Amino acid sequence: MTQAAPRHSYTLRDYLEVEEISVVRHELIDGEIVAMAGGTPEHAALASAIPALLGRQLSGQPCRTYSADLRIRVQATGLATYADASVVCDPVLRDPSSPTHVTNPKLVFEVLSPGTELYDRGEKREHYQQIDTLREYLLLSQATPRIEVWSRASAADAWSYAVYGPGDVVDLRSIGCRLDLNELYLAAGIANGR
């Protein structure tokens, strides 16, 4: 009878060493170091349009938008990852084990792609929802103007779910901003699903 080889469980230190020398991004999930998929031009355009649109609204406020370069750590589960975009409010809290990872995003945005959609909707969402400071988790379609929003008013509240489409404006209550879907998708060159 053949037995499966025991799976190696990587530590945060192992992960950080890989990230420092790698030309591709990885995430640490359940002790595994997994390469993150690259995105389409539409994916990249949406991910870059979010900080541009919200950054103007947050000017002079204690919150700041971040690109996909920001490392996020979910201390409750050990997930170390990158979101497509995020918002973090002062003070920025860093993981004591890795000062390159923040632990207190208020909003996280993921642009859905065929290879990661199930993960972003399910397991990754469940990890993110363990962050006490997280108030909104947004999933964006890269094919058509559509945003799914998971939100809660406080860490003690249950998560609610809503879907927005063309012509809608998402009220991001946690940061006092609004995200106009038509404006966002037009800025990304994906007006009306083109």
Side-chain angles (χ1 to χ4, degrees), residues 107-142:
L107 278 84
V108 169
F109 299 83
E110 293 288 357
V111 178
L112 299 173
S113 60
T116 64
E117 183 171 353
L118 290 176
Y119 174 58
D120 289 341
R121 287 181 190 284
E123 186 178 356
K124 195 169 192 181
R125 174 183 56 81
E126 291 169 1
H127 280 278
Y128 281 140
Q129 288 178 332
Q130 297 299 310
I131 300 172
D132 286 342
T133 58
L134 190 69
R135 295 295 172 263
E136 289 157 313
Y137 178 56
L138 291 85
L139 299 168
L140 291 78
S141 167
Q142 62 178 301

Side-chain angles (χ1 to χ4, degrees), residues 46-64:
L46 272 172
S48 65
I50 295 163
L53 293 175
L54 290 181
R56 291 192 294 263
Q57 295 179 59
L58 290 171
S59 180
Q61 303 298 318
C63 300
R64 178 173 296 118

Side-chain angles (χ1 to χ4, degrees), residues 145-147 164-166 168 170 179-186:
R146 177 184 164 92
I147 297 179
Y164 299 86
D168 289 339
V170 180
L179 193 57
D180 181 305
L181 268 74
N182 288 350
E183 182 183 13
L184 172 64
Y185 280 82
L186 185 63

Side-chain angles (χ1 to χ4, degrees), residues 7-179:
R7 184 178 68 105
H8 182 80
S9 184
Y10 292 96
T11 66
L12 179 61
R13 179 174 291 207
D14 297 330
Y15 165 75
L16 294 172
E17 288 174 3
V18 169
E19 282 300 275
E20 290 306 312
I21 61 171
S22 180
V23 294
V24 297
R25 292 183 180 152
H26 297 85
E27 66 182 6
L28 177 67
I29 180 165
D30 298 329
E32 290 188 52
I33 298 174
V34 180
M36 297 183 75
T40 63
E42 294 81 10
H43 186 286
L46 272 172
S48 65
I50 295 163
L53 293 175
L54 290 181
R56 291 192 294 263
Q57 295 179 59
L58 290 171
S59 180
Q61 303 298 318
C63 300
R64 178 173 296 118
T65 60
Y66 290 89
S67 70
D69 289 331
L70 182 67
R71 294 175 175 175
I72 296 175
R73 178 75 193 248
V74 181
Q75 291 179 310
T77 67
L79 176 70
T81 192
Y82 301 82
D84 288 319
S86 58
V87 174
V88 180
C89 299
D90 287 340
V92 173
L93 302 178
R94 298 169 189 264
D95 187 318
S97 301
S98 171
T100 61
H101 283 81
V102 300
T103 60
N104 65 323
K106 185 147 300 207
L107 278 84
V108 169
F109 299 83
E110 293 288 357
V111 178
L112 299 173
S113 60
T116 64
E117 183 171 353
L118 290 176
Y119 174 58
D120 289 341
R121 287 181 190 284
E123 186 178 356
K124 195 169 192 181
R125 174 183 56 81
E126 291 169 1
H127 280 278
Y128 281 140
Q129 288 178 332
Q130 297 299 310
I131 300 172
D132 286 342
T133 58
L134 190 69
R135 295 295 172 263
E136 289 157 313
Y137 178 56
L138 291 85
L139 299 168
L140 291 78
S141 167
Q142 62 178 301
T144 186
R146 177 184 164 92
I147 297 179
E148 300 169 51
V149 180
W150 288 88
S151 62
R152 65 180 175 182
S154 74
D157 292 334
W159 289 91
S160 63
Y161 175 79
V163 178
Y164 299 86
D168 289 339
V169 176
V170 180
D171 185 16
L172 302 171
R173 292 185 183 112
S174 65
I175 57 170
C177 294
R178 297 170 53 106
L179 193 57

